[in-house]
Amino acid sequence: MFDDILEAGTYLSYLVDRGVTGMVDIYITGGLKDVFGTIQTGYYYHNICANLSGTYYYSQVGEDTYRINITITRSECGYVYRNIVYGEKIPEDKERAIRLREEVEKVYNECVTPGMSDFEIELALHDRVISQCKYLGSDSPYDVQHSAYGALIDKEAVCDGYSKAFTLLLTRAGIESQVVYGTAGGGHAWNQVKIDGSWYMVDSTWDDPEYSSKKETAFHPYFNVSDEYLSLNHKWMNEGYNACTTMKDNYFNHYGYVYSGQSDYESALKERIKEGGSGVYESVITDSYSVDNAFVREVSDGRFSEYYNDILNDYYFSNVIVK
C-alpha cells in the first residue's frame, strides 16, 4: 500500500528494472489524480526498459484507496538495454530488437575509437544521432516516432526516439544516462548524462539543425548544460532525476569557445578559421553582439556559405560555416 505517487511510481519502475513482465497490482491511497500520477511516474522514469500497457485498470477498494492493475511488456529497446547491461539473450522472435542491437553495435564501432574520453564519446554519439535522424511530424506511426528503432534504423523519430537512441548508445559505451520527460512548449523528452562524475542535461532534438530550421549548421547549445540553464525553457519533475549543477563540460566551455565581447570573439574567430580552414565555427559571446556579413566575408576570404546569430538564455550564439 502506497500513499505517495513518487513511491508507487518508483516501485513500478523497480519492477521494470528487475525484468518483471505481466500483470501487476498496486494499491495507493488518494484520489484518481494519484492513480494517474503513479502510472505517469513509473512510465516516465524507466520508459527505456519497458512499455507499460496502454490499457490499465483501476478500481476503488476503499474510501480513498485504489487498486491499479497494469500490464508490463518488454519493449524492443528494453531487450537491447538488458542485453547490453545484463547480457540477457534477445529472443529469436524479437526481430526488431535483434536488428536494433546490431545497429547500436555498428554505430558504436563507427563512432568510438580507443583512447577517446567519455566527453569525446558522448559528443560523437550525440552528433551521430542528430546527423542520421530526421525529425518527424505527428502523422507518423507511433512506433517510429517514439522508438530508438525509428531514430537509428528508420532514421526518423521525434524527441522520444532521439533520447532513447542516445541512451542506448551511451549505455553501450559504458556511460550512465537516462531519458528525462517533461515539457518544452509541449510534451518533450531529452537526456541526462554523467561525465567525469557530474550529471548534465542534453537535448539532442533541440540541437538538431533540421529541427531548428538551421539545416546546414552544427548546433550544440543544449549539450551538457545545467538544470538552471535548461529550466529557462524546459520543465520537468525533479523527483527521480539527478541534479545537474555545473556547466564545466558544456560544449562551449569545454573547447574554450566562450568570448567576453566583440573584440575577443573576432580575433579568436580569425585565428580559428586561419588554423582550421573549412568547417563550422560555433561560438558564444557573453555580451550582446551580432555577427554581420562584412565581418564574416572578411575573416573567411569570402568562403563562408552561411552564418547566423541566435539568442538563447542570455547567451549570444554565432555559427559561421566556411566552405
Side-chain angles (χ1 to χ4, degrees), residues 76 95-97 99-104 106-107 128-137 140-158 161-162 165 208 210:
E76 63 202 21
E95 295 179 359
R96 281 171 58 100
R99 177 72 182 88
L100 178 59
R101 179 65 180 91
E102 292 171 346
E103 186 65 18
V104 166
K106 175 176 177 287
V107 171
R128 176 61 178 266
V129 170
I130 288 173
S131 68
Q132 75 173 51
C133 185
K134 176 184 178 182
Y135 187 84
L136 280 176
S140 304
Y142 185 91
D143 62 346
V144 173
Q145 290 185 49
H146 295 269
S147 68
Y149 191 98
L152 294 178
I153 296 174
D154 294 327
K155 296 179 172 49
E156 297 179 322
V158 295
Y162 279 65
D208 188 338
E210 185 172 75

Side-chain angles (χ1 to χ4, degrees), residues 27-60:
Y27 291 84
I28 185 166
T29 58
L32 284 178
K33 65 179 179 62
D34 300 291
V35 172
F36 299 129
T38 297
I39 300 299
Q40 184 183 56
T41 302
Y43 177 81
Y44 278 4
Y45 289 170
H46 288 85
N47 184 248
I48 188 71
C49 296
N51 291 332
L52 303 185
S53 173
T55 302
Y56 57 88
Y57 304 93
Y58 61 89
S59 57
Q60 191 167 0

Side-chain angles (χ1 to χ4, degrees), residues 90-114:
I90 301 173
E92 292 182 1
D93 62 338
K94 302 300 180 182
E95 295 179 359
R96 281 171 58 100
I98 292 171
R99 177 72 182 88
L100 178 59
R101 179 65 180 91
E102 292 171 346
E103 186 65 18
V104 166
E105 195 67 20
K106 175 176 177 287
V107 171
Y108 172 82
N109 288 329
E110 290 174 352
C111 292
V112 178
T113 57

